[in-house]
Amino acid sequence: MALIPVGKLTPQQLHEAVFKYRGYQRPEVLLGSSLGEDAAVIAFGPGQVVVSTDPITGASCRSGWLAVHVAANDVLCSGAEPVACLITILAPLNTEESKIAIIMKEASEAAQELQMEICGGHTEVTDSVNRIIISTVVLGIRNEELFPGNLCIEPDSAIVVSKPVGLEGSAILARDYHRQLSGFMESSELEELSSFFNSISVARESRIAVRHGVMVMHDVTEGGILGALFEMSLSRNMGFTLEEEAIPIHPLTHKLCQIMHADPLRLISSGCLIIVCRVGETLVKELREQGMDAAVVGHFTSRQERIMLRRDSSSGCMERHIIDQPSGDALWDIQARLTPSVKHHDP
């Protein structure tokens, strides 16, 4: 395999490893990836432009695919339709050209799934990094009539969760700690947990939610659902009441967290979407009809207290627990206690 020298890729390398992977071709993209062009030109029309960026700082499994979906999730949570993205790849010395092509092929597959065009970016080898870094910028169009971008949350608004919590963390743990977990879980269980990466996109549920006139959406990432709700309530001077029993958790995630002595409610959960709306039951019904495990898990309050309703195992009665500001992610706690076979780093 030919190694790429320090500096920008040659025109031939760009054609072979980058330019032919452009995802879905959008009519709004007037000028996209091509030699001699340093910027893309996109016709957005009367809609609002929504832009987000996210890095992937490790050459993990399906990193190109993950880089596109993680960045697109933030645009989707803003009620926008992803139109185009730009990808920057910084690779260390002795990187093979085939590795760049694999990343871009994966990124193109994700862009195809989202019907989004890869319209530009930058790719180079540099001695400033010791692992591949991928940074993705996603641009989307938002219809202000469908989603005005109201950041206010009214008291008694329903908190809806789509898909089980802990999906991304479960997949990371199953892959990074496969050897350690093989003595406690079946290989088929670990394979299923690893497949949770396929559920990281929130495209389907966010598009359904926009049609229901939601107030706010938030992709549950680092810190898990407790961290996400704490941040959402703190930034709006509000509180919330959360029903622990109502929160969807996959049985394998529950089993995994018991083995790892981890709290699934504090586990990184990309793919799990918090949706705030006035009437949650109607939205949950449609999400379930579309095959997604969704539930109303609580509501926001005007009182600045954050409560978890938890059933006591001995008495069976519901008890109120104060939720303090979460201290980091459960994944980082595990990594501090154990030495994984492969380190994973993503947002």
Side-chain angles (χ1 to χ4, degrees):
M1 292 290 181
L3 299 181
I4 307 173
V6 174
K8 295 176 62 174
L9 273 65
T10 66
Q12 182 178 354
Q13 289 170 332
L14 286 170
H15 278 299
E16 290 299 319
V18 177
F19 287 156
K20 67 181 181 181
Y21 301 115
R22 291 182 57 183
Y24 185 89
Q25 306 298 294
R26 297 283 305 207
E28 295 91 345
V29 178
L30 305 181
L31 177 63
S33 299
S34 59
L35 283 175
E37 298 294 344
D38 292 330
V41 179
I42 304 170
F44 279 105
Q48 296 179 331
V49 178
V50 176
V51 182
S52 182
T53 182
D54 259 311
I56 297 292
T57 55
S60 62
C61 177
R62 300 185 72 191
S63 57
W65 184 90
L66 192 65
V68 170
H69 274 299
V70 167
N73 276 355
D74 291 335
V75 168
L76 288 158
C77 287
S78 297
E81 186 67 20
V83 170
C85 72
L86 299 92
I87 300 175
T88 294
I89 301 175
L90 301 178
L93 302 180
N94 299 320
T95 295
E96 295 179 354
E97 182 180 332
S98 60
K99 180 60 179 177
I100 303 298
I102 289 171
I103 290 172
M104 287 305 303
K105 184 175 184 294
E106 294 168 347
S108 183
E109 290 170 357
Q112 285 279 1
E113 293 167 7
L114 294 166
Q115 296 189 351
M116 177 173 66
E117 183 166 340
I118 300 173
C119 66
H122 180 82
T123 308
E124 73 170 86
V125 169
T126 171
D127 58 5
S128 297
V129 299
N130 55 23
R131 66 168 67 92
I132 290 180
I133 295 176
I134 309 170
S135 181
T136 306
V137 176
V138 172
L139 300 95
I141 300 175
R142 181 167 68 189
N143 185 325
E144 190 174 5
E145 294 180 0
L146 290 177
F147 194 89
N150 180 14
L151 297 180
C152 296
I153 296 177
E154 298 173 359
D156 298 322
S157 299
I159 301 171
V160 174
V161 169
S162 77
K163 299 207 288 282
V165 301
L167 291 175
E168 182 182 10
S170 297
I172 293 170
L173 290 170
R175 193 200 63 216
D176 289 0
Y177 296 92
H178 188 280
R179 180 177 58 81
Q180 292 94 325
L181 288 166
S182 60
F184 301 92
M185 304 187 76
E186 301 291 334
S187 59
S188 58
E189 293 178 322
L190 293 173
E191 287 177 9
E192 185 174 352
L193 285 166
S194 296
S195 73
F196 287 177
F197 269 129
N198 298 329
S199 300
I200 277 178
S201 173
V202 298
R204 292 176 61 210
E205 53 264 52
S206 64
R207 288 164 176 161
I208 292 171
V210 166
R211 297 200 300 268
H212 280 263
V214 301
M215 299 173 187
V216 173
M217 293 185 286
H218 186 75
D219 185 28
V220 182
T221 53
E222 185 176 335
I225 187 172
L226 295 185
L229 286 172
F230 193 96
E231 290 178 2
M232 292 174 72
S233 64
L234 188 65
S235 65
R236 295 168 176 85
N237 296 315
M238 299 189 73
F240 60 82
T241 298
L242 193 62
E243 299 178 26
E244 186 179 47
E245 290 184 337
I247 301 171
I249 303 176
H250 194 282
L252 287 181
T253 295
H254 183 73
K255 180 177 180 179
L256 177 67
C257 286
Q258 283 188 319
I259 295 170
M260 290 292 195
H261 304 290
D263 183 357
L265 304 186
R266 289 182 51 238
L267 186 60
I268 187 169
S269 300
S270 292
C272 173
L273 183 65
I274 293 175
I275 307 167
V276 184
C277 56
R278 294 179 179 84
V279 182
E281 288 75 11
T282 304
L283 175 58
V284 166
K285 182 176 183 292
E286 181 166 354
L287 290 171
R288 288 178 175 175
E289 288 175 351
Q290 296 298 319
M292 280 172 276
D293 189 0
V296 177
V297 300
H299 60 276
F300 279 95
T301 66
S302 57
R303 302 180 305 278
Q304 292 187 43
E305 58 177 9
R306 299 159 184 92
I307 303 297
M308 169 92 78
L309 298 180
R310 176 177 291 158
R311 190 176 301 280
D312 182 79
S313 57
S314 56
S315 68
C317 297
M318 300 299 290
E319 296 183 344
R320 289 163 52 93
H321 293 263
I322 301 295
I323 298 175
D324 296 321
Q325 183 169 354
S327 56
D329 195 282
L331 180 64
W332 316 148
D333 295 342
I334 293 171
Q335 289 183 337
R337 287 188 278 112
L338 302 173
T339 303
S341 56
V342 179
K343 284 285 187 183
H344 179 92
H345 302 267
D346 52 55

